[in-house]
């Protein structure tokens, strides 16, 4: 099974991904590390201090992998059998990101993105996303 986990930074993607991979005995991929280590980017945004992901390279990296758990802000761009979208209260996102040294501007940006469900909306609209199931 190919499982991807997406969400705004600070929603718990890495924590949940590692637990799920361990529980299912599947390889775990932290996309921010994979993108950097495998050169799956087209550039670097110095202001945001983030790599600009090359989605074709990212999909190609996972093309031959049949079982995995992958987490990351852009994991909904990776074809999978199950896409998990994590959400958190905007205040919780800020609380979790502050200890990571995020600048105030980025804290506000991520809180607002979570408030407006930016990542969740993008993931739902992604053509490669698997059929959606909503769990309450």
């Amino acid at each position: 099974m190919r499982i991807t986990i997406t969400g705004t930074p600070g929603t718990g993607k890495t924590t949940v991904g590692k637990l799920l991979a361990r529980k299912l005995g599947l390889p775990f991929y932290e996309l921010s590390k994979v993108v950097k280590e495998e050169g799956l980017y087209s550039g670097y945004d110095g202001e945001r201090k983030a790599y600009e992901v090359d989605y074709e390279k990212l999909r190609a990296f996972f093309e031959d992998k049949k079982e995995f758990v992958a987490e990351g802000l852009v994991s909904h761009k990776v074809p999978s059998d199950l896409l998990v979208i994590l959400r958190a209260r905007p205040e919780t996102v800020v609380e979790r990101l502050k200890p990571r040294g995020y600048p105030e501007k980025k804290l506000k940006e991520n809180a607002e993105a979570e408030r407006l469900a930016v990542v969740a909306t993008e993931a739902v609209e992604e053509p490669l996303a698997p059929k959606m199931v909503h769990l309450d």
Side-chain angles (χ1 to χ4, degrees), residues 47-62:
E47 183 179 330
R48 293 183 182 277
K49 298 182 181 175
Y51 287 90
E52 297 165 354
V53 179
D54 183 320
Y55 298 123
E56 287 184 29
K57 288 180 183 178
L58 179 65
R59 286 190 283 274
F61 177 82
F62 283 96

Side-chain angles (χ1 to χ4, degrees), residues 1 3-6 12-34 37 61-62 65 67-72 75 86:
M1 173 166 275
I3 302 170
T4 50
I5 304 171
T6 194
K13 298 179 301 294
T14 304
T15 301
V16 170
K18 286 179 179 178
L19 289 169
L20 188 58
R22 189 175 320 125
K23 179 85 172 163
L24 298 175
L26 297 175
F28 174 71
Y29 296 96
E30 194 171 335
L31 293 185
S32 60
K33 290 181 180 178
V34 171
E37 292 168 1
F61 177 82
F62 283 96
K65 293 168 180 50
E67 295 188 323
F68 60 83
V69 174
E71 70 79 24
S75 67
L86 295 183

Side-chain angles (χ1 to χ4, degrees), residues 72-122:
L73 181 61
V74 297
S75 67
H76 52 278
K77 299 289 187 178
V78 175
S80 66
D81 303 309
L82 175 66
L83 171 63
V84 177
I85 303 170
L86 295 183
R87 303 289 314 277
R89 295 182 185 279
E91 314 79 65
T92 302
V93 167
V94 171
E95 287 171 21
R96 291 176 179 172
L97 296 180
K98 268 187 181 178
R100 299 183 195 178
Y102 277 50
E104 192 63 33
K105 181 180 177 183
K106 200 163 182 176
L107 291 172
K108 288 179 181 178
E109 182 181 283
N110 282 301
E112 188 66 12
E114 185 59 15
R115 188 174 288 107
L116 297 174
V118 172
V119 176
T121 301
E122 184 179 311

